[in-house]
Amino acid sequence: MLKLFSASTSPFARKVRIALAEKKIDYELVETSAWDAQSPVHAVNPLGKVPVLSLDDGTHIFDSRVIVEYIDSVSPVSRLIPAPTRQRIAVRTWEALADGVSEALLLCVLEGRRPAPRRDADWIARQRGKIDAGVAAMSAELAEGAWCNGEAYTLADIATGCALGYLDFRLPELDWRDRYPNLGKLAEKLAKRQAFMETAPPAA
């Protein structure tokens, strides 16, 4: 059986878990913290990061974008990445944008945990700027659409939903729903899907 090394607060691991659920692929979940020196993730990923997907033959796949591409290719159920080149590139660009927002937020969190005298306010401001610009771009690209890419639910929606959920978890003061009601409407729709409900991050 597939084994997924994951962390409950990671938006990247959540993206993979949602994709696995939507594809109806069974797997063993290994919850761990990459920050723990004794974490088993260090034995399967030299970068010491989650998520990692371990296959039956002992192969280990990382990072989240590679994992999702793999699992979408091994099962025809609920294709998440369109086959036509133009649509596929559009979906993967959405994913890159959403992941970039999550990554910038993670960097803000990590910098904020440093002792105050060593904290770099300019660095945090730069990451906040990426977050603001990224969310604005997602809203502009979504416009009045039902889904991120055309009329079908895809990986673009999964990645966007995970990024927005991570904002709620780590940066609730951003209040992005009031500024971007179209993203709020999308997030509400996604939150009703079973895969999103089952993978929601813990209460902050």
Side-chain angles (χ1 to χ4, degrees), residues 154-192:
T154 67
L155 175 59
D157 302 288
I158 294 175
T160 299
C162 289
L164 296 175
Y166 197 51
L167 283 173
D168 283 339
F169 179 60
R170 294 296 193 191
L171 196 64
E173 64 270 21
L174 185 62
D175 201 21
W176 55 269
R177 283 181 174 80
D178 285 344
R179 295 165 61 187
Y180 306 111
N182 61 337
L183 290 179
K185 183 177 179 181
L186 174 66
E188 289 179 9
K189 181 164 57 175
L190 292 172
K192 295 176 183 177

Side-chain angles (χ1 to χ4, degrees), residues 3-23:
K3 181 181 295 185
L4 179 67
F5 295 84
S6 175
S8 60
T9 59
S10 168
F12 310 107
R14 186 186 187 196
K15 180 178 64 173
V16 171
R17 290 182 64 195
I18 290 172
L20 285 164
E22 298 287 8
K23 301 287 290 184

Side-chain angles (χ1 to χ4, degrees), residues 25-142:
I25 296 175
D26 292 330
Y27 65 98
E28 176 187 347
L29 180 65
V30 180
E31 282 283 352
T32 185
S33 171
W35 302 107
D36 181 357
Q38 304 304 315
S39 170
V41 77
H42 297 290
V44 295
N45 182 352
L47 302 177
K49 299 168 65 177
V50 295
V52 179
L53 185 68
S54 292
L55 309 187
D56 294 338
D57 65 0
T59 301
H60 308 301
I61 303 176
F62 51 87
D63 64 4
S64 66
R65 296 181 204 180
V66 182
I67 296 173
V68 172
E69 183 174 351
Y70 170 77
I71 62 178
D72 198 43
S73 70
V74 298
S75 169
V77 175
S78 304
R79 292 307 296 259
L80 301 174
I81 304 172
T85 300
R86 191 180 186 92
Q87 295 177 35
R88 183 175 71 252
I89 294 303
V91 166
R92 300 314 295 266
T93 300
W94 261 102
E95 182 187 19
L97 177 60
D99 283 1
V101 169
S102 293
E103 182 178 0
L105 180 49
L106 175 59
L107 292 174
C108 281
V109 170
L110 295 178
E111 188 67 23
R113 289 176 178 172
R114 288 161 58 91
R118 299 172 56 192
R119 205 171 296 159
D120 190 334
D122 290 339
W123 172 259
I124 293 176
R126 182 181 180 187
Q127 302 310 318
R128 283 292 299 265
K130 292 180 183 180
I131 295 167
D132 290 337
V135 176
M138 289 192 292
S139 176
E141 186 68 22
L142 177 62

